[in-house]
Amino acid sequence: MNVWQPVPAPSPAGPKAPPAFDITRAQAEGTPATTPLVFASPHSGRLYPADMMAVLDDVAIRRSEDAYVDALVAEAPRLGAALITARLARAYIDVNREAFELDATMFADELPDFARGRSARVQAGLGAIARVVSEGQEIYDRKLTFAEARARIEGAHTPYHAALARLLGEAHAAHGVAVLIDWHSMPAAAARAGRGEACDMVLGDRFGAACSGQVTQLVERELQGLGYRVARNAPYAGGYTTEHYGRPARRTHALQIEINRALYLDEARLTPTAGFEKLKGDLEHLTGVLAAKDWSGLKTG
């Protein structure tokens, strides 16, 4: 498995920046999508470009990663789902945020009027360019410039969403419906928040606004059948991706799945545990069920 990877700054005559994301289709490019399924892992990226100049150590900077979620769902294309995975770290550019969702206090210059600085995510320090990692530790000891933010957005965020929209369009064109599963992981502490017992998975469908209840119910039933404790919409109802692409009335459905990291990860060391292979196998079973489903009768709401 890949681990945290710093990316050196290229020399003027050196190589181009690494790709911001990877795409793996279930079929040859240019041919109809095998199934309506599109999987995404926006927060599992492990590349940290040198221009970030973060002050945190190698472990602390990775606290915001959905570590190894991309590896958990890596077999999805073999089973029929297209897969897009971010390569750049979430702490560098968060593609599960609105593009210019930026915290003005982080910047030396004034942000343009179109920047969105008042969202709850920005206030928490977790905008498109994060101010803190998940424990609240500050990432930078300097002010950024808007030019830096624009470069990250135009170099990674914009092409990521163009690619994701294209995959969903291909699925919809082939099947008359598209089903996006946006994969994430949550700290074990968050999985226990407000509960007597920790949940294993949280299904976020924006309280029914982002996908048909048939999708959520099927995923919930399969996960529960595998022995997992499943919650809906609390503490995570779905992020920007779920909200932006989930349009049941247009037969594009989006569901966010949050996985309790305690199932597969040593959160202190950020290394997979013995539970990783079981969880991976169970998610492959779920993917197989979703891929075999006849989605032609999926309701719009």
Side-chain angles (χ1 to χ4, degrees), residues 129-280:
I129 295 179
R131 176 172 53 81
V132 299
V133 292
S134 57
E135 288 83 1
Q137 293 176 279
E138 296 281 340
I139 295 174
Y140 303 96
D141 63 355
R142 65 183 181 95
K143 295 286 187 178
L144 306 181
T145 66
F146 179 66
E148 289 179 274
R150 182 185 288 277
R152 296 185 195 185
I153 292 164
E154 293 179 351
H157 190 287
T158 300
Y160 175 91
H161 283 284
L164 178 53
R166 187 164 57 250
L167 291 174
L168 290 169
E170 291 171 1
H172 200 287
H175 300 279
V177 62
V179 178
L180 169 63
I181 308 293
D182 204 44
W183 293 93
H184 295 261
S185 68
M186 57 184 168
R192 292 191 297 268
R195 305 173 186 278
E197 185 178 33
C199 63
D200 297 315
M201 310 270 185
V202 177
L203 308 183
D205 61 8
R206 306 295 298 178
F207 299 94
C211 74
S212 167
Q214 291 175 268
V215 178
T216 309
Q217 289 163 14
L218 174 59
V219 173
E220 182 178 56
R221 183 171 64 248
E222 289 299 321
L223 289 173
Q224 288 176 336
L226 291 166
Y228 294 101
R229 295 163 294 186
V230 182
R232 291 198 195 186
N233 294 308
Y236 303 101
Y240 170 75
T241 299
T242 315
E243 182 178 13
H244 182 71
Y245 293 100
R247 295 290 184 268
R250 301 177 188 175
R251 295 178 62 78
T252 298
H253 303 262
L255 178 68
Q256 177 176 289
I257 301 181
E258 293 273 359
I259 303 167
N260 186 338
R261 291 174 189 163
L263 293 173
Y264 75 97
L265 189 72
D266 181 325
E267 291 189 78
R269 298 180 181 179
L270 295 177
T271 55
T273 63
F276 179 91
E277 291 300 330
K278 178 186 184 305
L279 176 60
K280 186 173 186 289

Side-chain angles (χ1 to χ4, degrees), residues 91-125:
Y92 183 74
I93 178 67
D94 191 338
V95 295
N96 195 34
R97 297 289 184 265
E98 192 170 335
F100 289 93
E101 202 169 350
L102 301 172
D103 183 346
T105 66
M106 295 177 61
F107 294 89
D109 47 351
E110 188 171 342
L111 297 183
D113 291 341
F114 58 78
R116 292 190 66 246
R118 297 184 180 275
S119 74
R121 292 177 292 223
V122 168
Q123 297 304 308

